[in-house]
Amino acid sequence: MADPEPKVDNPRKADLEKLRRDLAKEVEQLKKALKGPTADIGGDKVWVGKNARVWHQELQGRHKKVGEQVEKLLPLIDAAIRNEPDKVSASEARVYNKGI
């Protein structure tokens, strides 16, 4: 009986962990992405009138939605990381790396 294939560090898990680190650095900026334009249009400095108010309301809604969606990203990545094994067979690692 042949020895089982050796286990190596899971490259997918490593990629997910890197993604999480990179994204964690960007989360606050992403959540604030429309804050400036929303404030500018709503503050009557850039544009006034009925259309400006409609645009302001639209931007406020989008700003809120972007923030809500960004808040969901890190927990999704955390769950994916938890579901990955620390070690995989060398052939599984090769297949994963080949697919990148």
Side-chain angles (χ1 to χ4, degrees):
M1 187 156 94
D3 287 333
E5 191 173 2
K7 297 285 187 174
V8 297
D9 290 337
N10 183 343
R12 178 177 162 78
K13 186 169 189 170
D15 285 349
L16 287 168
E17 289 168 341
K18 182 184 181 318
L19 173 64
R20 195 207 187 282
R21 284 190 306 273
D22 292 347
L23 183 60
K25 294 175 189 174
E26 304 293 330
V27 163
E28 286 307 311
Q29 288 179 316
L30 290 169
K31 287 193 310 191
K32 295 176 184 176
L34 295 175
K35 186 176 184 176
T38 301
D40 289 347
I41 289 177
D44 294 334
K45 294 178 187 176
V46 177
W47 190 14
V48 295
K50 181 181 175 186
N51 288 338
R53 285 188 297 277
V54 171
W55 271 75
H56 175 70
Q57 289 173 337
E58 175 72 19
L59 277 175
Q60 270 186 316
R62 289 176 186 246
H63 173 66
K64 181 180 176 187
K65 191 169 199 152
V66 165
E68 290 168 353
Q69 295 301 315
V70 167
E71 286 291 326
K72 295 176 184 178
L73 293 174
L74 290 176
L76 285 172
I77 295 170
D78 289 339
I81 291 169
R82 279 192 306 274
N83 288 330
E84 286 293 324
D86 291 333
K87 301 282 186 178
V88 295
S89 69
S91 60
E92 288 174 304
R94 277 192 303 275
V95 168
Y96 175 77
N97 287 327
K98 197 176 202 179
I100 291 182

